[in-house]
Every structure is written in C-alpha cells, then in structure tokens.
Amino acid sequence: MNSLAAEGKTEWPELVGHKIKEAKEKIKADRPDLKVEVVTVGTSVTEEFNTKRVRIWVDTVVQVPRIG
C-alpha cells in the first residue's frame, strides 16, 4: 500500500457540481488533516505536489454580472 492510500481518501469525484461550501465541508469531514483551497480557474498557482492540500477549482458565474 502506498503512503497516500494509507492516509485515506485522495479524490472526491462525487463533489463535481456541488456548492463550494458543501465540497469544503465534505473534504474536511473525510480528511481533517488537509488544507482546502478554493481557486478560480485560470489563476496562477504553484505546481509542487503537496499531500496536505486539496484545490477546488471553480469557474461558474452564479449571478448576472451587473453594474451597481
């Protein structure tokens, strides 16, 4: 067994399409040892692999953009 498998869950495909808050809560419930980062698609981020980080990539406009 590799070290990642020994630490627990490493992916959450069931969260695709869920609200960010729900996704963060589920990840933290499954793996409280991880830091969860919400990142807008297109944002520059470091490329190093970090076994204690999960990134939630978002790109959906949820309300009509308007002046005001």
Side-chain angles (χ1 to χ4, degrees):
M1 178 184 285
N2 70 33
S3 62
L4 284 180
E7 293 178 11
K9 193 166 184 173
T10 61
E11 294 184 338
W12 289 264
E14 70 276 13
L15 296 177
V16 173
H18 284 253
K19 293 183 179 181
I20 296 166
K21 183 179 178 188
E22 293 171 353
K24 286 177 72 173
E25 289 173 355
K26 173 64 173 151
I27 293 167
K28 290 303 278 182
D30 289 347
R31 294 286 308 272
D33 59 310
L34 298 177
K35 177 181 179 188
V36 180
E37 297 178 354
V38 178
V39 183
T40 303
V41 171
T43 301
S44 295
V45 296
T46 59
E47 294 186 24
E48 85 283 350
F49 187 78
N50 182 338
T51 61
K52 295 298 179 185
R53 175 187 63 217
V54 173
R55 289 182 173 143
I56 299 174
W57 292 91
V58 296
D59 71 349
T60 304
V61 177
V62 297
Q63 292 185 349
V64 176
R66 60 180 61 147
I67 294 173

